[in-house]
Amino acid sequence: MRYLRSATYEPGAVICRRGEPARSMYFVAEGEVSVELPDQRVALVAGQFFGEVAVLKRSERTATVRARDRVKLLALDADDLRHLMNAHPSIATIIERVAEERLAAERLGRAGDIVAEELASSAQ
């Protein structure tokens, strides 16, 4: 928890924009965000995260993310993410698996399907 910064966004607020450099990834603590990909929109809710792909690849954001309602996020800076992943391989495995699934889904145009599958498996 010492690595995380809390931030609250009001409905419609832009959290990050497509094309910006990625400096942090985010965990949704409360509320819902909309991930606006070039060909679709995906909703993420409490317990899910976003921004890990660009941070891990050290690249620009591939999507714009907006708050759908009042949302509380926990931000993890890129350097802290790398430190955390090195110190806790089990966390690294989860984040890398989700990032790989999202990249594969994006290539296939089915990111929404992956998110739905994640929600279904986390509900069990």
Side-chain angles (χ1 to χ4, degrees), residues 25 55-56 76-86 95:
M25 69 171 290
V55 169
L56 292 172
L76 181 62
D77 290 335
D79 291 338
D80 291 335
L81 171 61
R82 288 182 189 87
H83 175 75
L84 185 65
M85 290 174 71
N86 287 333
I95 292 172

Side-chain angles (χ1 to χ4, degrees), residues 39-40 101 104-115 117:
D39 59 344
Q40 64 182 322
E101 289 173 356
E106 189 175 316
R107 286 191 292 270
L108 296 173
R110 54 180 291 270
D113 294 343
I114 293 297
V115 171
E117 291 167 11

Side-chain angles (χ1 to χ4, degrees), residues 6 9-10 15 18 21-22 24 38 48 55 57 60 70-71 79-80 84 88 91 112:
S6 177
Y9 295 87
E10 296 302 321
I15 298 159
R18 179 181 170 91
S24 301
Q48 295 184 295
V55 169
K57 291 177 63 180
E60 295 177 343
R70 190 165 202 265
V71 66
D79 291 338
D80 291 335
L84 185 65
H88 302 280
I91 292 172

Side-chain angles (χ1 to χ4, degrees), residues 2-80:
R2 67 178 174 216
Y3 297 116
L4 299 171
R5 285 180 292 110
S6 177
T8 301
Y9 295 87
E10 296 302 321
V14 174
I15 298 159
C16 57
R17 288 190 190 283
R18 179 181 170 91
E20 291 178 338
R23 294 185 177 93
S24 301
M25 69 171 290
Y26 301 89
F27 298 88
V28 181
E30 296 174 12
E32 186 173 329
V33 300
S34 176
V35 179
E36 300 169 2
L37 297 160
D39 59 344
Q40 64 182 322
R41 290 179 188 219
V42 178
L44 298 178
V45 297
Q48 295 184 295
F49 56 88
F50 62 92
E52 78 289 349
V53 173
V55 169
L56 292 172
K57 291 177 63 180
R58 295 183 170 120
S59 65
E60 295 177 343
R61 300 276 182 205
T62 59
T64 296
V65 180
R66 295 179 196 274
R68 291 186 70 158
D69 50 16
R70 190 165 202 265
V71 66
K72 181 177 179 181
L73 301 176
L74 300 173
L76 181 62
D77 290 335
D79 291 338
D80 291 335

